[in-house]
């Protein structure tokens, strides 16, 4: 399961290695913010993003044999914080998307 970090207008804000560095930083923050929403009952699923994502390209990936089931099939996910859910990228953006946008603006040094 892969999520692409969509950052419209990046080329107008930064270019070359600066744009890539900024995208990597924002992608890492997005994964960090998403982590509590990823089901933990299958422990390796939550941490697989750290190994399989291409942060510099803005691609977050979770790679386990059961990721599709946890993402696409609604089920009762349980975790200590009570935040785990299917479609964890959408849940994080609904609840913390403004926080991620503000962080991206800080990293890029511009209003987004």
């Amino acid at each position: 399961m892969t999520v692409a970090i969509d950052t419209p207008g990046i080329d107008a804000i930064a270019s070359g290695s600066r744009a890539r560095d900024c995208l990597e930083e924002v992608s890492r923050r997005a994964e960090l913010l998403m982590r509590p929403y990823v089901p933990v009952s299958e422990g390796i699923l939550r941490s697989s993003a750290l190994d399989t994502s291409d942060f510099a390209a803005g691609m977050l990936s979770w790679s386990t044999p059961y990721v599709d089931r946890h993402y696409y099939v609604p089920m009762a996910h349980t975790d200590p914080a009570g935040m785990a859910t299917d479609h964890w990228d959408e849940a994080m953006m609904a609840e913390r998307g403004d926080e991620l946008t503000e962080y991206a603006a800080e990293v890029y040094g511009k209003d987004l």
Side-chain angles (χ1 to χ4, degrees):
M1 204 296 287
T2 301
V3 173
I5 303 299
D6 184 17
T7 52
I10 281 181
D11 293 337
I13 296 168
S15 62
S17 64
R18 167 106 172 96
R20 187 173 175 89
D21 291 346
C22 290
L23 181 57
E24 180 173 1
E25 180 63 28
V26 171
S27 298
R28 288 185 182 280
R29 177 58 64 99
E31 188 279 327
L32 180 66
L33 293 175
M34 252 179 254
R35 198 175 301 159
Y37 298 90
V38 178
V40 72
S41 60
E42 303 285 349
I44 195 72
L45 173 59
R46 188 175 276 186
S47 63
S48 69
L50 297 173
D51 295 327
T52 60
S53 295
D54 183 354
F55 295 106
M59 302 299 287
L60 305 181
S61 298
W62 290 264
S63 181
T64 65
Y66 46 82
V67 66
D68 287 345
R69 179 170 46 95
H70 282 281
Y71 188 81
Y72 293 108
V73 178
M75 61 181 75
H77 295 289
T78 58
D79 74 294
M83 296 173 70
T85 186
D86 51 71
H87 295 87
W88 46 83
D89 57 323
E90 295 169 10
M92 184 280 289
M93 286 304 292
E95 293 182 19
R96 301 184 77 182
D98 290 344
E99 181 181 341
L100 182 60
T101 300
E102 289 172 14
Y103 182 76
E106 288 177 24
V107 169
Y108 284 96
K110 300 281 184 180
D111 289 330
L112 300 179

